[in-house]
Each structure stands twice: as C-alpha cells, then as structure tokens.
Amino acid sequence: MNRTLDSRLFLNPVVLKSETGKNIAEYIARSNLRIKDLQNLLELEQPQAIYNWLSGKDIPKVDNLVKLAHFLDTTIDKLVAVDLRENQAECDVPEKFLYIR
C-alpha cells in the first residue's frame, strides 16, 4: 500500500444525530426510566427536547449529555455516535491530525 502524507488532509469527526438518538433510546429502554422521569431529572420544562434527541432532530447540549450518561449509567462516548470523515483544510494541519492514505 502506497501511503502519501498531505499536510492539509485530515479526519474530521462528525456527530451522527440519528445514530445518537438510537443510542440514547437504547439506554433509556435498558434503564426502565420513562421520558417523564428523564424530563424531571434533567430539569426540562417540556419533554419535547428528549423526543427531538430520540428522533435525531437534535442532540443534547453538553450539560445534558453529562447528566444523561450519569442517569443512564453509561458514558458520553457510548451515547454519541461519531463518524470520522476525510476533510481538506485550507492551510496546513498539525501533524497529529493528519490523515495518511
């Protein structure tokens, strides 16, 4: 395999909203918590934010991710689905982020 190093090519992490919603739904089901329970624990006025997370319309803010992970007995990285996508920068990228192909 011939690998070339491009000082502008890097992997860019992208949060996958739909997959993140599926992960959150899975952990909610395992926890036996109801949406209303989470609404109260997260101190949300309405449950709509949670439904938006589950449907992939939105993702929780960082503070709610921390709380969700705690209440669902997991970690943030197990809730948030991430895909690394090849990207091209306009200027040189620090070596530790370079993508070698």
Side-chain angles (χ1 to χ4, degrees), residues 1 9 20 32 43 47 52 57 59-60 73 75 87 95-96:
M1 175 192 304
L9 191 61
T20 298
N32 294 318
E43 301 175 3
N52 287 343
K57 289 182 184 177
I59 57 171
D73 195 28
T75 59
N87 205 345
E95 189 172 333
K96 68 180 180 179

Side-chain angles (χ1 to χ4, degrees), residues 26-34 38 71-72:
E26 243 181 70
Y27 279 94
I28 290 173
R30 290 180 193 173
S31 73
N32 294 318
L33 289 171
R34 298 171 304 147
L38 283 173
F71 296 130
L72 299 176

